[in-house]
Amino acid sequence: MRTSNRIVVTALLAIMSLTATAQTEGGLIAGAEVEKKVNKQLSFGFEAELRTRNDFKTMDRWSLGLGVEYKFNKWLKADAGYHLLNTNFREDISLKANGNFNNWRPSYWGIRHRVHASMTGTYKFQNNLRLSLRERWQYTYRPEKTVTRWDFDNEYWEDKVRAGKGKNQLRSRLQLEYDKKKALLTPYASVELYNSWAIEKIRYTVGTDINVTKSHVFNVFYRYQNMKNVEEDVYDPDMHYIGVGYKFKF
């Protein structure tokens, strides 16, 4: 290994080591959505979203989604959809049993496919408070991809095939909102649990819709994402998100 390459790799590992000790980052979520109402019960939607991480400095992912929603009555609705996710997977370092470095895989972009189906039950109190519980099943598939990694033993770059992988999750969201007819603001707060045989993360969100007109709705929110059951050698930090969004309904 040339001296210059060794210096670069060592510096990168030092930076990653310092970053990993923080275990908390900030990011932005920005999205836009279009909803077409067919009738009082049925509607279709298209959405686009991007996210950043590393205290807003690094692009984390962008996604495109299609969905359909059906309202059975005032208190029960169902929805389903598909999302195409292009994700900037974080770099990864594997260690040997003696603690020495084994391999280093830099960050890379990769596609994932996600489908979901949900049921949401809602109860509206007389004081304009609305309580809802959404249960969502989602399945995410990451196709096989060849990535490049650094082998510390042999001191060269090598290609490594990451096998395709699928994952099922149950997402349970409880939300309380103040929903007054013709009001400019619709504030809300929610907590959502991600479960895959164990709680993997919890999202706490507070925000408000800004109802400019019936067709144009903006959204701003703050979200804290608390990671659970993360492997010790995997850097998957808690996240503080600032979110902005826009929805056009017709």
Side-chain angles (χ1 to χ4, degrees):
M1 183 179 182
R2 292 192 309 174
T3 303
S4 58
N5 287 341
R6 184 179 290 109
I7 292 173
V8 171
V9 171
T10 302
L12 286 170
L13 292 175
I15 292 171
M16 290 168 60
S17 178
L18 289 173
T19 304
T21 61
Q23 293 295 310
T24 302
E25 291 184 4
L28 171 72
I29 300 176
E33 183 178 356
V34 176
E35 180 184 289
K36 170 60 178 176
K37 217 167 195 178
V38 179
N39 52 45
K40 291 184 178 181
Q41 287 78 39
L42 183 64
S43 62
F44 294 90
F46 170 79
E47 63 180 85
E49 183 186 89
L50 65 83
R51 297 185 185 185
T52 66
R53 64 173 189 250
N54 189 25
D55 296 334
F56 307 94
K57 296 188 289 289
T58 303
M59 185 68 72
D60 185 48
R61 82 180 197 194
W62 60 260
S63 64
L64 300 174
L66 295 170
V68 58
E69 179 181 283
Y70 186 83
K71 293 183 178 180
F72 297 98
N73 48 51
K74 291 183 178 180
W75 60 271
L76 184 64
K77 66 181 180 180
D79 70 89
Y82 163 79
H83 282 82
L84 173 68
L85 310 170
N86 192 16
T87 302
N88 184 6
F89 291 98
R90 294 178 183 268
E91 55 264 87
D92 178 70
I93 300 176
S94 62
L95 302 176
K96 297 179 181 179
N98 60 8
N100 291 333
F101 292 122
N102 185 25
N103 296 295
W104 169 50
R105 188 200 71 218
S107 62
Y108 73 94
W109 286 89
I111 292 293
R112 292 183 295 162
H113 304 278
R114 176 174 293 168
V115 293
H116 75 264
S118 313
M119 293 289 289
T120 305
T122 304
Y123 181 80
K124 188 171 184 179
F125 300 92
Q126 292 183 349
N127 57 2
N128 297 311
L129 286 175
R130 185 190 300 272
L131 183 67
S132 65
L133 174 64
R134 187 188 72 185
E135 294 291 347
R136 168 172 289 181
W137 163 82
Q138 72 178 28
Y139 175 76
T140 307
Y141 180 71
R142 184 196 70 202
E144 178 183 294
K145 186 178 178 66
T146 300
V147 298
T148 301
R149 69 181 186 180
W150 178 259
D151 186 318
F152 285 94
D153 288 331
N154 299 303
E155 297 190 342
Y156 62 71
W157 293 98
E158 63 179 0
D159 290 335
K160 170 68 175 178
V161 176
R162 294 197 78 193
K165 183 179 180 181
K167 184 174 186 178
N168 289 284
Q169 284 182 309
L170 178 65
R171 297 169 53 176
S172 303
R173 188 193 70 184
L174 185 66
Q175 180 167 291
L176 182 66
E177 61 182 339
Y178 182 75
D179 185 19
K180 185 177 181 180
K181 192 174 182 180
K182 296 183 179 180
L184 174 63
L185 301 179
T186 304
Y188 62 88
S190 69
V191 57
E192 183 174 18
L193 281 69
Y194 282 63
N195 195 335
S196 181
W197 303 109
I199 301 298
E200 296 188 331
K201 60 184 172 184
I202 305 176
R203 284 179 171 176
Y204 304 92
T205 306
V206 291
T208 185
D209 288 339
I210 306 172
N211 308 296
V212 179
T213 67
K214 288 185 177 181
S215 298
H216 303 278
V217 180
F218 291 90
N219 176 242
V220 293
F221 63 88
Y222 163 76
R223 173 176 296 157
Y224 173 62
Q225 183 168 283
N226 182 210
M227 302 303 298
K228 302 289 186 180
N229 295 303
V230 178
E231 297 178 18
E232 291 185 1
D233 59 345
V234 174
Y235 180 62
D236 200 357
D238 296 340
M239 294 294 300
H240 297 277
Y241 284 115
I242 298 298
V244 293
Y246 167 71
K247 187 174 185 179
F248 175 66
K249 300 185 287 185
F250 67 101

